[in-house]
Amino acid sequence: MKALALDINQFGKTEEIQSHIRHSLSLGLPEFYPALCSHDGTMSVVGSGPSLLSTYEELREERAKGRPIIAVKGTHNFLIERGLEPDLWMTIDPRPRLDQLKLKAENTIYIVSSRCHPEVFERLKDDRVILFHSYAVQDEADSIFEERDAKANGLTTFCIGGGTTSGVRAIHLSYAMGFRRFVLYGLDSSL
């Protein structure tokens, strides 16, 4: 039996992502903290995989139970178009994927990784944005810590690990918010 060898590459070059981190930290946004929304311990995590087309109506039942919905990337528009405004939206993608935010959601909290492109922050400048730090590689974490030390503001830097996709990271982010049960929709991606 041969050991499985995976060669995983993330989007973006280290220097580019470090530049994104410095930019996002310069915005003075509030940073991630647990309990962004009330809950019973269950989070509905929604990605844009093909199964979402046949399961999204089930989200109305989850919403009726008072369970929050976290939309991953492009799922934001899909849910809003169907009258299911997400409570939370998140991404770790360093590319300027503004097409994922075509629609406005008045009550959604936008949780954006510091590694994301500055254009994403510009698009969300009038919305409620919470900044979080996603741990992917040490070079990125080092740039967060260096920026913090340079500002000497005494904040503790909290990085959330958990995979290379925004969908998998949404589960880890939800766990950090105190959720322990997850109902997954549309997370049947190619990864």
Side-chain angles (χ1 to χ4, degrees):
M1 183 178 272
K2 183 178 178 183
L4 178 63
L6 298 176
D7 182 21
I8 298 173
N9 295 311
Q10 63 180 3
F11 287 107
K13 297 188 183 317
T14 298
E15 299 79 25
E16 175 188 35
I17 292 172
Q18 288 173 328
S19 173
H20 293 180
I21 290 169
R22 284 190 292 279
H23 173 267
S24 65
L25 285 171
S26 75
L27 298 175
L29 294 168
E31 292 193 27
F32 175 78
Y33 55 91
L36 292 173
C37 55
S38 62
H39 59 84
D40 69 354
T42 301
M43 173 69 84
S44 298
V45 181
V46 186
S48 56
S51 67
L52 183 60
L53 291 172
S54 61
T55 59
Y56 75 88
E57 284 295 339
E58 295 172 23
L59 283 165
R60 295 186 198 288
E61 296 170 27
E62 294 298 315
R63 171 69 44 86
K65 294 175 185 174
R67 294 178 174 160
I69 296 169
I70 185 167
V72 178
K73 297 176 20 173
T75 309
H76 175 269
N77 298 332
F78 178 89
L79 293 175
I80 293 170
E81 287 170 344
R82 286 153 181 82
L84 286 162
E85 182 177 320
D87 300 282
L88 308 166
W89 175 84
M90 68 83 57
T91 186
I92 63 170
D93 197 331
R95 298 172 291 180
R97 308 276 304 266
L98 302 181
D99 58 318
Q100 299 173 350
L101 297 165
K102 286 181 181 175
L103 302 177
K104 283 287 194 176
E106 185 176 320
N107 299 305
T108 299
I109 299 171
Y110 295 90
I111 309 172
V112 185
S113 173
S114 58
R115 69 192 312 269
C116 291
H117 198 279
E119 289 179 28
V120 173
F121 291 97
E122 179 62 26
R123 170 66 176 90
L124 295 171
K125 69 181 178 190
D126 297 324
D127 297 293
R128 184 169 174 204
V129 176
I130 300 293
L131 182 67
F132 85 100
H133 305 293
S134 54
Y135 185 88
V137 294
Q138 192 59 44
D139 288 342
E140 289 180 35
D142 289 345
S143 63
I144 295 165
F145 296 126
E146 288 167 10
E147 190 69 20
R148 273 287 150 66
D149 291 343
K151 291 186 176 188
N153 59 12
L155 292 174
T156 300
T157 301
F158 179 61
C159 295
I160 297 179
T164 60
T165 68
S166 293
V168 174
R169 196 65 61 104
I171 297 169
H172 289 263
L173 187 68
S174 298
Y175 189 89
M177 287 187 277
F179 294 90
R180 297 299 182 261
R181 291 180 307 279
F182 307 93
V183 183
L184 307 178
Y185 295 90
L187 287 183
D188 46 332
S189 71
S190 61
L191 299 175

